[in-house]
């Protein structure tokens, strides 16, 4: 039960209680006036709490709207009314002693007060942060939380979610943050300054802040510029049908006056499919530059296993160094999220699996030019009789592959050099992937490197420091402690 459903449940409960109390008062039941007054005070209080928790909401219209538009909301409203059904005892109870009447009225009043206080406590004083394991599986590495965007409680309510990381040639670390408020979503790019702020966290310097930096699911930095893979929502009517516009864009941010703030935005790649339904999370995701300056873009598919509606859906795209030409580099992906050049200059990506009734496993793929990786025709290790490329690695259990990084930093122990590192969102861990080149491909070994809560992305500096974003509104640093 999230906060919205909790408000639906509690609101329906106190409204039902208030109506029952009004009927009891009309029937001149003992102490009904006191109970009715308290019930309506509870309704007013819950309405106020709802407006604070979900800005702009109004309790009664919101309940009616939610019941019509969402089956799940209807269930929570119905559940709230059902649990309030004992209030009907006030209406239909038979004659009773004065003592029993007072006791019953006291119990009803305590129920109202307790329900309202508990809801207020959950909204204004969150119970506690969810306890997750934060641990390094190699004692030579430390794991430290360095950024907390408001506390690891309800990131969707708090309104700040760190998404992607990028590190440039000078080891400057950049972080994209998705913001949500009363009206819409917006975005921000910050630089992580390695000096402690007053609260003991790493200092954040905002270098770009705009409502148009919406859904920044890809980030790259080089030559003093920031590259953002972003998308929006737009549908137009076309010959009687509503169709999504291609809102996916890669935007270059520049600092023309050299004051450390990005003040010039330029779209260098446009007309990517972007966000489309029903799976609007699957858009243009990670971006990475190749050795010749070419830009690679991961583009997802907006459905589970349906036919593609855009020729760039489920593709790794390649933009020429001057961004004037876009070509399909590889095909057959569902939602490629992480993208990086790794061992021997190879291009690697993580790809999220299908969800219809089973979990074949997320994929780690070595991307070959012109190859097809199976979606939507096959999944897992099925190569369709040799027609499709197979993944290097499949996730297991609750694992869910997200961001990916690669390092050859000489500052790290030898066994940690030349490895891929995957942010495993579902299993709350970072995997270290060792790739040993064989005659027929790679032999892959995967082991848990560190445990962190719900990691989204990972990046590593040339000096060997790892940075990880977490869906809990946190950023972690993993550092090798030299002897």
């Amino acid at each position: 039960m999230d906060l919205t459903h909790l408000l639906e449940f509690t609101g329906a409960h106190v409204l039902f209680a208030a109506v029952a109390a009004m009927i009891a008062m009309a029937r001149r039941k003992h102490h009904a006036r006191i109970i009715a007054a308290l019930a309506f005070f509870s309704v007013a209080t819950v309405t106020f709490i709802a407006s604070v928790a979900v800005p702009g909401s109004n309790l009664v219209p919101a309940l009616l709207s939610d019941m019509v538009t969402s089956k799940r909301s209807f269930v929570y409203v119905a559940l709230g009314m059902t649990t309030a059904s004992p209030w009907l005892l006030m209406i239909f109870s038979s004659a009773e002693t004065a003592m029993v009447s007072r006791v019953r009225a006291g119990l009803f009043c305590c129920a109202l007060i307790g329900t309202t206080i508990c809801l207020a406590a959950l909204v204004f004083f969150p119970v506690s942060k969810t306890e997750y394991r934060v641990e390094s599986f190699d004692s030579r590495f430390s794991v430290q939380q360095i950024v907390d965007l408001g506390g690891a409680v309800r990131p969707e309510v708090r309104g700040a979610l760190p998404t992607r990381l990028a590190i440039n040639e000078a080891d400057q670390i950049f972080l994209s943050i998705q913001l949500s408020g009363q009206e819409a979503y917006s975005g921000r790019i910050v630089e992580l300054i390695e000096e402690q702020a007053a609260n003991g966290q790493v200092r954040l310097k905002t270098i770009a802040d705009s409502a148009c930096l919406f859904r920044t699911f890809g980030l790259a930095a080089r030559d003093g510029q920031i590259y953002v893979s972003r998308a929006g929502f737009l549908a137009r009517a076309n010959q009687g049908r509503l169709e999504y516009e291609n809102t996916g864009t890669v935007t270059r941010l520049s600092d023309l006056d050299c004051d450390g703030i990005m003040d010039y935005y330029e779209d260098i790649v446009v007309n990517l499919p972007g966000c489309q339904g029903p799976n609007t999370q699957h858009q243009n995701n990670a971006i990475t530059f190749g050795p010749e300056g070419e830009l690679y873009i991961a583009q997802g598919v907006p459905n589970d296993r349906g036919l593609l509606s855009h020729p760039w859906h489920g593709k790794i795209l390649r933009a020429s160094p001057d961004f004037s030409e876009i070509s399909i580099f590889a095909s057959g992906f569902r939602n490629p999220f992480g993208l990086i050049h790794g061992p021997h200059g190879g291009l690697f990506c993580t790809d999220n699996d299908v969800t219809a009734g089973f979990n074949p496993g997320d994929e780690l793929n070595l991307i070959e030019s012109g190859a097809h990786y199976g979606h939507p025709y096959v999944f897992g290790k099925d190569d369709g009789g040799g027609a499709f490329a197979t993944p290097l690695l499949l996730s297991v259990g609750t694992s869910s592959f997200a961001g990916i990084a690669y390092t050859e930093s000489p500052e790290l122990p030898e066994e940690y050099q030349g490895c891929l590192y995957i942010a495993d969102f579902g299993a709350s861990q970072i995997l270290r992937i060792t790739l040993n080149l064989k005659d027929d491909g790679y032999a892959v070994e995967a082991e848990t490197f560190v445990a962190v809560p719900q990691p989204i992305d990972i990046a590593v500096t040339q000096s060997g420091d790892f940075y990880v974003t977490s869906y809990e509104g946190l950023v972690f640093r993993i550092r090798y402690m030299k002897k």
Side-chain angles (χ1 to χ4, degrees):
M1 179 185 291
D2 61 21
L3 182 61
T4 299
H5 292 142
L6 176 64
L7 290 169
E8 291 167 349
F9 171 83
T10 308
H13 185 99
V14 297
L15 281 170
F16 191 94
V19 171
M22 282 291 294
I23 297 174
M25 187 174 67
R27 298 189 63 182
R28 301 177 183 274
K29 294 295 180 179
H30 291 297
H31 308 295
R33 290 185 178 181
I34 297 174
I35 299 173
L38 186 58
F40 278 96
F41 175 77
S42 294
V43 171
T45 303
V46 171
T47 301
F48 168 73
I49 294 172
S51 69
V52 172
V54 183
S57 67
N58 189 289
L59 185 63
V60 175
L63 287 176
L64 295 175
S65 175
D66 291 348
M67 289 177 65
V68 172
T69 58
S70 170
K71 292 181 180 179
R72 184 176 292 272
S73 294
F74 178 85
V75 170
Y76 280 107
V77 171
L79 185 61
M81 296 173 65
T82 302
T83 57
S85 58
W87 287 89
L88 296 174
L89 293 174
M90 286 193 308
I91 303 172
F92 302 108
S93 60
S94 58
E96 57 191 17
T97 67
M99 177 62 71
V100 172
S101 178
R102 285 194 293 269
V103 170
R104 187 183 61 186
L107 291 175
F108 280 135
C109 291
C110 288
L112 281 170
I113 295 171
T115 299
T116 306
I117 290 176
C118 287
L119 180 64
L122 288 172
V123 172
F124 296 108
F125 307 100
V127 178
S128 65
K129 294 184 180 182
T130 304
E131 293 297 328
Y132 286 99
R133 183 175 59 164
V134 178
E135 176 185 1
S136 171
F137 288 78
D138 186 329
S139 60
R140 296 174 294 175
F141 288 84
S142 66
V143 186
Q144 180 184 4
Q145 176 199 307
I146 59 172
V147 174
D148 186 343
L149 298 177
V153 182
R154 299 196 312 272
E156 73 279 4
V157 175
R158 181 181 60 250
L161 175 65
T163 51
R164 305 310 294 255
L165 289 156
I167 298 175
N168 66 11
E169 308 88 340
D171 268 359
Q172 289 177 286
I173 306 142
F174 301 98
L175 168 68
S176 62
I177 299 173
Q178 183 169 299
L179 305 171
S180 62
Q182 180 175 347
E183 297 180 358
Y185 286 90
S186 61
R188 180 178 299 161
I189 310 296
V190 301
E191 180 182 356
L192 275 63
I193 308 297
E194 284 285 9
E195 58 185 47
Q196 283 196 348
N199 59 0
Q201 303 286 285
V202 169
R203 186 165 67 89
L204 302 179
K205 175 186 176 182
T206 299
I207 62 171
D209 191 355
S210 171
C212 297
L213 285 175
F214 177 64
R215 296 171 64 92
T216 300
F217 282 11
L219 195 67
R222 71 168 196 164
D223 298 333
Q225 296 172 314
I226 303 294
Y227 295 79
V228 172
S229 175
R230 61 187 182 90
F233 292 96
L234 178 63
R236 295 189 186 278
N238 180 20
Q239 297 182 349
R241 297 178 58 188
L242 281 174
E243 298 177 346
Y244 282 101
E245 289 286 297
N246 299 321
T247 60
T249 304
V250 178
T251 303
R252 178 169 56 196
L253 284 57
S254 302
D255 177 16
L256 297 186
D257 57 7
C258 300
D259 64 351
I261 306 299
M262 299 295 160
D263 48 32
Y264 188 81
Y265 295 13
E266 177 186 11
D267 290 340
I268 57 173
V269 178
V270 296
N271 292 325
L272 299 169
C275 303
Q276 299 186 7
N279 292 335
T280 56
Q281 294 291 325
H282 299 182
Q283 60 170 71
N284 44 298
N285 295 315
I287 52 177
T288 188
F289 283 96
E292 304 300 324
E294 67 276 30
L295 178 67
Y296 294 87
I297 307 164
Q299 173 65 54
V301 177
N303 53 50
D304 206 32
R305 294 195 70 189
L307 295 178
L308 308 183
S309 57
H310 191 286
W312 287 350
H313 274 147
K315 304 296 192 296
I316 303 297
L317 303 173
R318 181 185 184 275
S320 59
D322 63 357
F323 314 113
S324 62
E325 298 180 8
I326 308 294
S327 59
I328 296 173
F329 188 74
S331 308
F333 306 95
R334 178 171 177 266
N335 188 43
F337 191 81
L339 193 64
I340 198 73
H341 282 85
H344 312 288
L347 183 63
F348 296 81
C349 86
T350 58
D351 188 21
N352 302 140
D353 64 12
V354 297
T355 59
F358 53 90
N359 180 22
D362 286 5
E363 299 179 1
L364 169 63
N365 289 296
L366 170 61
I367 310 304
E368 302 285 354
S369 177
H372 195 294
Y373 289 79
H375 185 82
Y377 310 109
V378 299
F379 46 82
K381 291 290 187 178
D382 187 353
D383 66 355
F388 305 113
T390 56
L392 295 174
L393 179 68
L394 286 175
S395 68
V396 294
T398 59
S399 289
S400 176
F401 293 166
I404 187 172
Y406 174 73
T407 181
E408 296 179 347
S409 173
E411 303 298 321
L412 293 172
E414 184 176 354
E415 64 270 29
Y416 286 85
Q417 300 175 27
C419 297
L420 295 171
Y421 296 85
I422 294 177
D424 186 343
F425 176 86
S428 289
Q429 64 182 354
I430 302 297
L431 292 175
R432 180 168 70 94
I433 310 298
T434 303
L435 301 174
N436 297 310
L437 189 60
K438 305 291 185 181
D439 292 338
D440 58 347
Y442 282 105
V444 181
E445 297 179 8
E447 66 177 10
T448 302
F449 176 34
V450 298
V452 291
Q454 297 184 303
I456 301 172
D457 201 14
I458 181 170
V460 56
T461 65
Q462 297 177 64
S463 59
D465 284 345
F466 298 85
Y467 292 83
V468 178
T469 57
S470 164
Y471 190 71
E472 292 300 311
L474 309 172
V475 178
F476 294 89
R477 181 180 58 217
I478 307 166
R479 174 168 288 172
Y480 174 55
M481 298 179 293
K482 299 177 182 178
K483 300 297 183 181

